[in-house]
Amino acid sequence: MAKKLKKRKILNEIREVSVYDFADDPRRKKAPKDAKYKIVFYKPKPNENSNIPKKFQGVQYYTTKSEADLALKDRLELSEKLKLKKSKDMIGNNRNPNLGSIGVRFGEDHEVTINQKKEFNKKVKTAKQLLKSGHTKMETQRIINKKFKLNRAENASTGRYVRVASNLLDK
């Protein structure tokens, strides 16, 4: 069996310029004559908005190692700033209108998600008891709707908690 080769890290690595970087190829950026080092940065797709300046996109060439080190350091600092900004933007995010119903919370408020999980587990436990006692899935659904005061249509398909309870009993 052939040994699987580990993929070489290319992005955000300082490398020496090779003869291929000076070759005329319409698909690539040609290196300047005095270039000694290069860094390949992530390049966003065309027509994609990005907070990353052009000097930190694609292949960039440098004449000295210290220039390349400084550029890489600046780019990594920019990445950390952008991650921090994005994480701060997500705290208290309420832009999704279904946020409460799907149980997803960002930031500090995990209490609601925990309560939803507890409520779901209570419904599953009740459904298991009803199914064991001989009720059908639809009867179980109607009883749970009344007990937990749920607004589900009478002819709606069985709830997830009834299906989960049924699967647990089948095992």
Short mmCIF file of all heavy atoms in Angstrom, two decimals, residues 74-136:
data_model
loop_
_atom_site.label_atom_id
_atom_site.label_comp_id
_atom_site.label_asym_id
_atom_site.label_seq_id
_atom_site.Cartn_x
_atom_site.Cartn_y
_atom_site.Cartn_z
N ASP A 74 2.32 41.29 10.09
CA ASP A 74 1.19 42.21 9.95
C ASP A 74 -0.06 41.47 9.49
O ASP A 74 -1.17 41.74 9.95
CB ASP A 74 1.52 43.33 8.96
CG ASP A 74 2.54 44.31 9.51
OD1 ASP A 74 2.79 44.29 10.73
OD2 ASP A 74 3.10 45.10 8.71
N ARG A 75 0.11 40.53 8.57
CA ARG A 75 -1.05 39.79 8.04
C ARG A 75 -1.67 38.91 9.11
O ARG A 75 -2.90 38.82 9.23
CB ARG A 75 -0.61 38.93 6.83
CG ARG A 75 -1.69 38.03 6.29
CD ARG A 75 -2.87 38.84 5.76
NE ARG A 75 -3.87 38.01 5.17
CZ ARG A 75 -4.95 37.55 5.81
NH1 ARG A 75 -5.14 37.85 7.07
NH2 ARG A 75 -5.82 36.80 5.18
N LEU A 76 -0.85 38.25 9.92
CA LEU A 76 -1.38 37.40 10.98
C LEU A 76 -2.07 38.24 12.06
O LEU A 76 -3.10 37.82 12.61
CB LEU A 76 -0.27 36.54 11.57
CG LEU A 76 0.34 35.51 10.61
CD1 LEU A 76 1.50 34.78 11.26
CD2 LEU A 76 -0.70 34.54 10.10
N GLU A 77 -1.55 39.42 12.35
CA GLU A 77 -2.20 40.32 13.31
C GLU A 77 -3.56 40.77 12.76
O GLU A 77 -4.53 40.86 13.50
CB GLU A 77 -1.33 41.54 13.59
CG GLU A 77 -0.17 41.25 14.52
CD GLU A 77 0.73 42.47 14.72
OE1 GLU A 77 0.42 43.56 14.19
OE2 GLU A 77 1.76 42.31 15.40
N LEU A 78 -3.61 41.06 11.45
CA LEU A 78 -4.86 41.46 10.82
C LEU A 78 -5.89 40.32 10.94
O LEU A 78 -7.06 40.57 11.22
CB LEU A 78 -4.63 41.82 9.35
CG LEU A 78 -5.87 42.19 8.55
CD1 LEU A 78 -6.47 43.48 9.07
CD2 LEU A 78 -5.54 42.32 7.08
N SER A 79 -5.45 39.09 10.74
CA SER A 79 -6.35 37.94 10.86
C SER A 79 -6.95 37.87 12.26
O SER A 79 -8.15 37.63 12.42
CB SER A 79 -5.62 36.64 10.58
OG SER A 79 -5.24 36.56 9.25
N GLU A 80 -6.12 38.07 13.28
CA GLU A 80 -6.61 38.03 14.66
C GLU A 80 -7.61 39.15 14.92
O GLU A 80 -8.63 38.94 15.58
CB GLU A 80 -5.44 38.12 15.65
CG GLU A 80 -4.58 36.88 15.69
CD GLU A 80 -5.36 35.64 16.06
OE1 GLU A 80 -6.17 35.68 17.01
OE2 GLU A 80 -5.18 34.61 15.38
N LYS A 81 -7.32 40.36 14.39
CA LYS A 81 -8.24 41.48 14.58
C LYS A 81 -9.58 41.20 13.92
O LYS A 81 -10.64 41.48 14.48
CB LYS A 81 -7.64 42.77 13.99
CG LYS A 81 -6.54 43.38 14.81
CD LYS A 81 -6.01 44.63 14.13
CE LYS A 81 -4.78 45.17 14.85
NZ LYS A 81 -4.20 46.31 14.14
N LEU A 82 -9.55 40.63 12.71
CA LEU A 82 -10.79 40.34 12.00
C LEU A 82 -11.59 39.24 12.72
O LEU A 82 -12.82 39.31 12.80
CB LEU A 82 -10.50 39.93 10.56
CG LEU A 82 -9.96 41.04 9.65
CD1 LEU A 82 -9.59 40.48 8.29
CD2 LEU A 82 -10.96 42.16 9.51
N LYS A 83 -10.92 38.22 13.26
CA LYS A 83 -11.61 37.18 14.02
C LYS A 83 -12.27 37.76 15.26
O LYS A 83 -13.41 37.43 15.59
CB LYS A 83 -10.63 36.08 14.44
CG LYS A 83 -10.27 35.12 13.35
CD LYS A 83 -9.31 34.07 13.89
CE LYS A 83 -8.73 33.23 12.78
NZ LYS A 83 -7.72 32.30 13.27
N LEU A 84 -11.55 38.64 15.96
CA LEU A 84 -12.09 39.26 17.16
C LEU A 84 -13.30 40.12 16.82
O LEU A 84 -14.32 40.07 17.51
CB LEU A 84 -11.00 40.09 17.85
CG LEU A 84 -11.36 40.74 19.17
CD1 LEU A 84 -11.67 39.67 20.20
CD2 LEU A 84 -10.25 41.63 19.65
N LYS A 85 -13.19 40.88 15.74
CA LYS A 85 -14.30 41.74 15.32
C LYS A 85 -15.52 40.89 14.97
O LYS A 85 -16.64 41.21 15.35
CB LYS A 85 -13.88 42.56 14.09
CG LYS A 85 -14.96 43.47 13.57
CD LYS A 85 -14.52 44.21 12.33
CE LYS A 85 -15.67 45.01 11.77
NZ LYS A 85 -15.37 45.58 10.48
N LYS A 86 -15.30 39.78 14.28
CA LYS A 86 -16.41 38.91 13.89
C LYS A 86 -17.05 38.28 15.13
O LYS A 86 -18.26 38.19 15.22
CB LYS A 86 -15.91 37.83 12.95
CG LYS A 86 -17.00 36.99 12.35
CD LYS A 86 -16.44 36.03 11.33
CE LYS A 86 -17.56 35.23 10.70
NZ LYS A 86 -17.08 34.31 9.70
N SER A 87 -16.23 37.84 16.09
CA SER A 87 -16.79 37.21 17.29
C SER A 87 -17.57 38.23 18.12
O SER A 87 -18.62 37.91 18.67
CB SER A 87 -15.70 36.56 18.12
OG SER A 87 -14.85 37.52 18.67
N LYS A 88 -17.09 39.47 18.21
CA LYS A 88 -17.82 40.50 18.94
C LYS A 88 -19.14 40.81 18.25
O LYS A 88 -20.14 41.09 18.89
CB LYS A 88 -16.98 41.78 19.06
CG LYS A 88 -15.91 41.70 20.11
CD LYS A 88 -15.17 43.01 20.22
CE LYS A 88 -14.09 42.94 21.28
NZ LYS A 88 -13.30 44.17 21.35
N ASP A 89 -19.14 40.76 16.92
CA ASP A 89 -20.35 41.05 16.15
C ASP A 89 -21.42 39.99 16.40
O ASP A 89 -22.60 40.25 16.29
CB ASP A 89 -20.00 41.12 14.66
CG ASP A 89 -21.18 41.56 13.82
OD1 ASP A 89 -21.90 42.47 14.25
OD2 ASP A 89 -21.37 40.99 12.72
N MET A 90 -21.01 38.75 16.74
CA MET A 90 -21.97 37.67 16.92
C MET A 90 -22.60 37.65 18.31
O MET A 90 -23.63 37.02 18.50
CB MET A 90 -21.29 36.32 16.67
CG MET A 90 -20.80 36.14 15.25
SD MET A 90 -22.05 36.41 14.01
CE MET A 90 -22.97 34.91 14.16
N ILE A 91 -22.01 38.34 19.29
CA ILE A 91 -22.57 38.35 20.64
C ILE A 91 -23.90 39.09 20.62
O ILE A 91 -24.01 40.20 20.14
CB ILE A 91 -21.61 39.00 21.64
CG1 ILE A 91 -20.38 38.13 21.81
CG2 ILE A 91 -22.29 39.25 22.99
CD1 ILE A 91 -19.31 38.72 22.68
N GLY A 92 -24.93 38.42 21.13
CA GLY A 92 -26.26 39.02 21.16
C GLY A 92 -26.91 39.11 19.79
O GLY A 92 -27.83 39.89 19.59
N ASN A 93 -26.44 38.32 18.86
CA ASN A 93 -26.97 38.37 17.50
C ASN A 93 -28.42 37.93 17.50
O ASN A 93 -28.76 36.85 17.93
CB ASN A 93 -26.14 37.43 16.61
CG ASN A 93 -26.58 37.44 15.18
OD1 ASN A 93 -27.58 38.03 14.82
ND2 ASN A 93 -25.82 36.78 14.34
N ASN A 94 -29.29 38.78 17.02
CA ASN A 94 -30.70 38.41 16.93
C ASN A 94 -31.24 38.70 15.53
O ASN A 94 -32.42 38.94 15.36
CB ASN A 94 -31.51 39.14 17.99
CG ASN A 94 -31.41 40.64 17.85
OD1 ASN A 94 -30.74 41.15 16.95
ND2 ASN A 94 -32.04 41.36 18.75
N ARG A 95 -30.38 38.65 14.54
CA ARG A 95 -30.80 38.93 13.17
C ARG A 95 -31.61 37.80 12.56
O ARG A 95 -32.37 38.01 11.64
CB ARG A 95 -29.59 39.23 12.29
CG ARG A 95 -29.01 40.60 12.59
CD ARG A 95 -27.76 40.78 11.83
NE ARG A 95 -26.69 40.38 12.75
CZ ARG A 95 -25.43 40.44 12.47
NH1 ARG A 95 -25.03 40.83 11.32
NH2 ARG A 95 -24.54 40.08 13.35
N ASN A 96 -31.41 36.58 13.03
CA ASN A 96 -32.15 35.45 12.50
C ASN A 96 -33.52 35.40 13.17
O ASN A 96 -33.61 35.24 14.37
CB ASN A 96 -31.37 34.16 12.77
CG ASN A 96 -32.03 32.94 12.20
OD1 ASN A 96 -33.17 33.00 11.75
ND2 ASN A 96 -31.33 31.85 12.20
N PRO A 97 -34.61 35.53 12.40
CA PRO A 97 -35.94 35.55 13.02
C PRO A 97 -36.31 34.23 13.69
O PRO A 97 -37.13 34.19 14.57
CB PRO A 97 -36.88 35.85 11.86
CG PRO A 97 -36.12 35.51 10.64
CD PRO A 97 -34.67 35.68 10.96
N ASN A 98 -35.69 33.11 13.28
CA ASN A 98 -35.98 31.80 13.87
C ASN A 98 -35.05 31.46 15.01
O ASN A 98 -34.99 30.31 15.43
CB ASN A 98 -35.87 30.71 12.79
CG ASN A 98 -36.87 30.91 11.70
OD1 ASN A 98 -38.00 31.31 11.97
ND2 ASN A 98 -36.49 30.64 10.48
N LEU A 99 -34.32 32.44 15.51
CA LEU A 99 -33.29 32.18 16.52
C LEU A 99 -33.84 31.47 17.74
O LEU A 99 -33.26 30.52 18.22
CB LEU A 99 -32.64 33.51 16.92
CG LEU A 99 -31.33 33.43 17.64
CD1 LEU A 99 -30.29 32.77 16.76
CD2 LEU A 99 -30.85 34.79 18.03
N GLY A 100 -34.99 31.89 18.23
CA GLY A 100 -35.56 31.28 19.42
C GLY A 100 -36.05 29.87 19.19
O GLY A 100 -35.95 29.02 20.04
N SER A 101 -36.57 29.60 17.98
CA SER A 101 -37.18 28.30 17.75
C SER A 101 -36.15 27.22 17.44
O SER A 101 -36.40 26.05 17.66
CB SER A 101 -38.18 28.39 16.61
OG SER A 101 -37.54 28.78 15.41
N ILE A 102 -34.99 27.58 16.91
CA ILE A 102 -34.02 26.54 16.56
C ILE A 102 -33.02 26.27 17.67
O ILE A 102 -32.25 25.33 17.59
CB ILE A 102 -33.25 26.90 15.25
CG1 ILE A 102 -32.55 28.23 15.36
CG2 ILE A 102 -34.18 26.86 14.07
CD1 ILE A 102 -31.74 28.59 14.14
N GLY A 103 -33.04 27.06 18.74
CA GLY A 103 -32.22 26.75 19.89
C GLY A 103 -30.78 27.17 19.76
O GLY A 103 -29.93 26.70 20.48
N VAL A 104 -30.46 28.10 18.88
CA VAL A 104 -29.08 28.53 18.68
C VAL A 104 -28.89 29.86 19.39
O VAL A 104 -29.69 30.76 19.23
CB VAL A 104 -28.76 28.69 17.18
CG1 VAL A 104 -27.37 29.22 16.99
CG2 VAL A 104 -28.92 27.37 16.49
N ARG A 105 -27.85 29.95 20.16
CA ARG A 105 -27.55 31.21 20.85
C ARG A 105 -26.07 31.53 20.70
O ARG A 105 -25.23 30.65 20.76
CB ARG A 105 -27.85 31.08 22.34
CG ARG A 105 -29.31 30.95 22.66
CD ARG A 105 -30.01 32.28 22.44
NE ARG A 105 -31.40 32.23 22.77
CZ ARG A 105 -32.36 31.99 21.92
NH1 ARG A 105 -32.09 31.74 20.68
NH2 ARG A 105 -33.61 32.00 22.31
N PHE A 106 -25.79 32.81 20.51
CA PHE A 106 -24.41 33.28 20.45
C PHE A 106 -24.13 34.11 21.69
O PHE A 106 -25.02 34.72 22.25
CB PHE A 106 -24.19 34.17 19.22
CG PHE A 106 -24.44 33.45 17.93
CD1 PHE A 106 -25.56 33.69 17.20
CD2 PHE A 106 -23.54 32.51 17.47
CE1 PHE A 106 -25.81 33.03 16.03
CE2 PHE A 106 -23.76 31.85 16.30
CZ PHE A 106 -24.92 32.12 15.57
N GLY A 107 -22.90 34.15 22.10
CA GLY A 107 -22.52 35.00 23.21
C GLY A 107 -22.82 34.39 24.55
O GLY A 107 -22.64 33.20 24.77
N GLU A 108 -23.37 35.18 25.46
CA GLU A 108 -23.47 34.79 26.86
C GLU A 108 -24.70 33.96 27.19
O GLU A 108 -24.68 33.17 28.10
CB GLU A 108 -23.50 36.06 27.73
CG GLU A 108 -22.33 37.00 27.51
CD GLU A 108 -21.00 36.37 27.84
OE1 GLU A 108 -20.92 35.64 28.83
OE2 GLU A 108 -20.04 36.59 27.09
N ASP A 109 -25.82 34.13 26.49
CA ASP A 109 -27.11 33.57 26.90
C ASP A 109 -27.29 32.13 26.44
O ASP A 109 -27.80 31.87 25.38
CB ASP A 109 -28.23 34.45 26.36
CG ASP A 109 -29.59 33.99 26.82
OD1 ASP A 109 -29.64 33.27 27.83
OD2 ASP A 109 -30.60 34.34 26.19
N HIS A 110 -26.84 31.17 27.26
CA HIS A 110 -27.02 29.76 26.94
C HIS A 110 -28.21 29.17 27.70
O HIS A 110 -28.58 28.04 27.47
CB HIS A 110 -25.76 28.96 27.31
CG HIS A 110 -24.57 29.38 26.52
ND1 HIS A 110 -24.43 29.13 25.18
CD2 HIS A 110 -23.46 30.05 26.89
CE1 HIS A 110 -23.28 29.62 24.76
NE2 HIS A 110 -22.67 30.19 25.77
N GLU A 111 -28.79 29.94 28.59
CA GLU A 111 -29.87 29.46 29.44
C GLU A 111 -31.08 29.02 28.61
O GLU A 111 -31.69 28.00 28.90
CB GLU A 111 -30.29 30.58 30.42
CG GLU A 111 -31.20 30.12 31.52
CD GLU A 111 -30.52 29.18 32.49
OE1 GLU A 111 -29.31 29.31 32.70
OE2 GLU A 111 -31.21 28.31 33.02
N VAL A 112 -31.41 29.77 27.56
CA VAL A 112 -32.57 29.44 26.75
C VAL A 112 -32.37 28.10 26.05
O VAL A 112 -33.27 27.26 26.03
CB VAL A 112 -32.84 30.57 25.72
CG1 VAL A 112 -33.96 30.19 24.78
CG2 VAL A 112 -33.17 31.85 26.44
N THR A 113 -31.20 27.86 25.50
CA THR A 113 -30.91 26.60 24.82
C THR A 113 -30.99 25.43 25.80
O THR A 113 -31.55 24.39 25.46
CB THR A 113 -29.51 26.64 24.19
OG1 THR A 113 -29.43 27.80 23.35
CG2 THR A 113 -29.25 25.42 23.35
N ILE A 114 -30.49 25.59 26.99
CA ILE A 114 -30.53 24.54 28.00
C ILE A 114 -31.98 24.23 28.36
O ILE A 114 -32.38 23.07 28.47
CB ILE A 114 -29.71 24.95 29.25
CG1 ILE A 114 -28.23 25.02 28.90
CG2 ILE A 114 -29.96 24.01 30.41
CD1 ILE A 114 -27.36 25.69 29.93
N ASN A 115 -32.81 25.28 28.52
CA ASN A 115 -34.21 25.07 28.85
C ASN A 115 -34.95 24.37 27.72
O ASN A 115 -35.81 23.53 27.97
CB ASN A 115 -34.89 26.40 29.17
CG ASN A 115 -34.41 26.98 30.48
OD1 ASN A 115 -33.88 26.26 31.32
ND2 ASN A 115 -34.56 28.28 30.66
N GLN A 116 -34.62 24.71 26.47
CA GLN A 116 -35.26 24.04 25.33
C GLN A 116 -34.91 22.55 25.31
O GLN A 116 -35.74 21.71 25.02
CB GLN A 116 -34.83 24.69 24.02
CG GLN A 116 -35.46 26.03 23.78
CD GLN A 116 -34.94 26.70 22.53
OE1 GLN A 116 -33.93 26.29 21.96
NE2 GLN A 116 -35.62 27.75 22.09
N LYS A 117 -33.68 22.23 25.62
CA LYS A 117 -33.24 20.84 25.66
C LYS A 117 -33.98 20.08 26.77
O LYS A 117 -34.43 18.94 26.56
CB LYS A 117 -31.72 20.79 25.89
CG LYS A 117 -31.12 19.44 25.90
CD LYS A 117 -30.98 18.91 24.50
CE LYS A 117 -30.20 17.60 24.53
NZ LYS A 117 -30.31 16.89 23.31
N LYS A 118 -34.12 20.71 27.95
CA LYS A 118 -34.85 20.08 29.05
C LYS A 118 -36.30 19.84 28.66
O LYS A 118 -36.86 18.78 28.95
CB LYS A 118 -34.78 20.95 30.30
CG LYS A 118 -33.44 20.94 31.00
CD LYS A 118 -33.45 21.86 32.21
CE LYS A 118 -32.08 21.92 32.87
NZ LYS A 118 -32.06 22.89 33.97
N GLU A 119 -36.92 20.82 28.03
CA GLU A 119 -38.31 20.70 27.59
C GLU A 119 -38.46 19.55 26.59
O GLU A 119 -39.40 18.76 26.66
CB GLU A 119 -38.75 22.03 26.96
CG GLU A 119 -40.20 22.10 26.59
CD GLU A 119 -41.08 22.45 27.76
OE1 GLU A 119 -40.57 22.81 28.84
OE2 GLU A 119 -42.30 22.32 27.61
N PHE A 120 -37.53 19.46 25.65
CA PHE A 120 -37.56 18.38 24.65
C PHE A 120 -37.44 17.02 25.33
O PHE A 120 -38.17 16.08 25.01
CB PHE A 120 -36.43 18.58 23.64
CG PHE A 120 -36.37 17.52 22.58
CD1 PHE A 120 -37.23 17.54 21.50
CD2 PHE A 120 -35.45 16.48 22.67
CE1 PHE A 120 -37.19 16.57 20.53
CE2 PHE A 120 -35.40 15.49 21.71
CZ PHE A 120 -36.26 15.54 20.63
N ASN A 121 -36.53 16.91 26.29
CA ASN A 121 -36.34 15.64 27.01
C ASN A 121 -37.60 15.25 27.79
O ASN A 121 -37.94 14.06 27.86
CB ASN A 121 -35.13 15.71 27.94
CG ASN A 121 -33.83 15.74 27.17
OD1 ASN A 121 -33.77 15.31 26.03
ND2 ASN A 121 -32.78 16.25 27.80
N LYS A 122 -38.31 16.24 28.36
CA LYS A 122 -39.57 15.94 29.06
C LYS A 122 -40.60 15.38 28.08
O LYS A 122 -41.33 14.44 28.40
CB LYS A 122 -40.14 17.21 29.72
CG LYS A 122 -39.41 17.64 30.96
CD LYS A 122 -40.06 18.91 31.51
CE LYS A 122 -39.25 19.50 32.64
NZ LYS A 122 -39.82 20.79 33.08
N LYS A 123 -40.67 15.97 26.89
CA LYS A 123 -41.62 15.51 25.88
C LYS A 123 -41.28 14.09 25.44
O LYS A 123 -42.18 13.26 25.26
CB LYS A 123 -41.62 16.45 24.66
CG LYS A 123 -42.19 17.81 24.94
CD LYS A 123 -42.04 18.69 23.72
CE LYS A 123 -42.31 20.14 24.04
NZ LYS A 123 -41.98 21.01 22.90
N VAL A 124 -40.00 13.80 25.26
CA VAL A 124 -39.58 12.45 24.86
C VAL A 124 -39.96 11.44 25.94
O VAL A 124 -40.49 10.36 25.65
CB VAL A 124 -38.06 12.40 24.56
CG1 VAL A 124 -37.58 10.97 24.40
CG2 VAL A 124 -37.74 13.21 23.32
N LYS A 125 -39.70 11.80 27.19
CA LYS A 125 -40.02 10.89 28.31
C LYS A 125 -41.52 10.61 28.37
O LYS A 125 -41.96 9.46 28.52
CB LYS A 125 -39.54 11.53 29.63
CG LYS A 125 -39.70 10.65 30.83
CD LYS A 125 -39.14 11.35 32.07
CE LYS A 125 -39.37 10.48 33.30
NZ LYS A 125 -38.91 11.15 34.51
N THR A 126 -42.33 11.67 28.23
CA THR A 126 -43.79 11.50 28.24
C THR A 126 -44.24 10.64 27.06
O THR A 126 -45.09 9.76 27.20
CB THR A 126 -44.48 12.88 28.19
OG1 THR A 126 -43.99 13.68 29.25
CG2 THR A 126 -45.98 12.74 28.31
N ALA A 127 -43.66 10.89 25.89
CA ALA A 127 -44.03 10.13 24.69
C ALA A 127 -43.68 8.65 24.87
O ALA A 127 -44.46 7.77 24.47
CB ALA A 127 -43.32 10.71 23.46
N LYS A 128 -42.54 8.35 25.47
CA LYS A 128 -42.16 6.95 25.71
C LYS A 128 -43.18 6.26 26.60
O LYS A 128 -43.60 5.13 26.33
CB LYS A 128 -40.76 6.88 26.35
CG LYS A 128 -39.63 7.00 25.35
CD LYS A 128 -38.26 7.10 25.97
CE LYS A 128 -37.87 5.98 26.88
NZ LYS A 128 -36.49 6.09 27.38
N GLN A 129 -43.61 6.95 27.66
CA GLN A 129 -44.59 6.37 28.58
C GLN A 129 -45.91 6.09 27.86
O GLN A 129 -46.52 5.04 28.02
CB GLN A 129 -44.83 7.30 29.77
CG GLN A 129 -43.65 7.41 30.71
CD GLN A 129 -43.83 8.51 31.76
OE1 GLN A 129 -44.76 9.31 31.67
NE2 GLN A 129 -42.93 8.54 32.73
N LEU A 130 -46.35 7.07 27.04
CA LEU A 130 -47.62 6.91 26.33
C LEU A 130 -47.55 5.80 25.29
O LEU A 130 -48.50 5.03 25.13
CB LEU A 130 -48.03 8.24 25.68
CG LEU A 130 -48.44 9.36 26.65
CD1 LEU A 130 -48.56 10.68 25.92
CD2 LEU A 130 -49.74 9.00 27.36
N LEU A 131 -46.43 5.72 24.58
CA LEU A 131 -46.29 4.68 23.57
C LEU A 131 -46.22 3.30 24.21
O LEU A 131 -46.75 2.33 23.67
CB LEU A 131 -45.05 4.95 22.70
CG LEU A 131 -45.16 6.14 21.74
CD1 LEU A 131 -43.80 6.45 21.12
CD2 LEU A 131 -46.19 5.88 20.66
N LYS A 132 -45.56 3.20 25.37
CA LYS A 132 -45.49 1.92 26.10
C LYS A 132 -46.87 1.46 26.54
O LYS A 132 -47.17 0.27 26.56
CB LYS A 132 -44.59 2.05 27.33
CG LYS A 132 -43.13 1.82 27.07
CD LYS A 132 -42.38 1.87 28.40
CE LYS A 132 -40.89 1.82 28.19
NZ LYS A 132 -40.15 1.96 29.46
N SER A 133 -47.72 2.44 26.91
CA SER A 133 -49.05 2.09 27.41
C SER A 133 -50.03 1.75 26.29
O SER A 133 -51.20 1.46 26.56
CB SER A 133 -49.61 3.21 28.29
OG SER A 133 -49.85 4.36 27.50
N GLY A 134 -49.58 1.80 25.03
CA GLY A 134 -50.41 1.34 23.92
C GLY A 134 -51.02 2.43 23.06
O GLY A 134 -51.78 2.12 22.14
N HIS A 135 -50.72 3.68 23.31
CA HIS A 135 -51.24 4.75 22.46
C HIS A 135 -50.51 4.76 21.12
O HIS A 135 -49.34 4.39 21.03
CB HIS A 135 -51.04 6.12 23.14
CG HIS A 135 -51.89 6.33 24.34
ND1 HIS A 135 -53.23 6.64 24.26
CD2 HIS A 135 -51.60 6.26 25.67
CE1 HIS A 135 -53.72 6.77 25.48
NE2 HIS A 135 -52.74 6.53 26.36
N THR A 136 -51.22 5.21 20.07
CA THR A 136 -50.58 5.35 18.76
C THR A 136 -49.74 6.62 18.76
O THR A 136 -49.84 7.44 19.68
CB THR A 136 -51.63 5.44 17.62
OG1 THR A 136 -52.37 6.65 17.79
CG2 THR A 136 -52.54 4.23 17.61
#
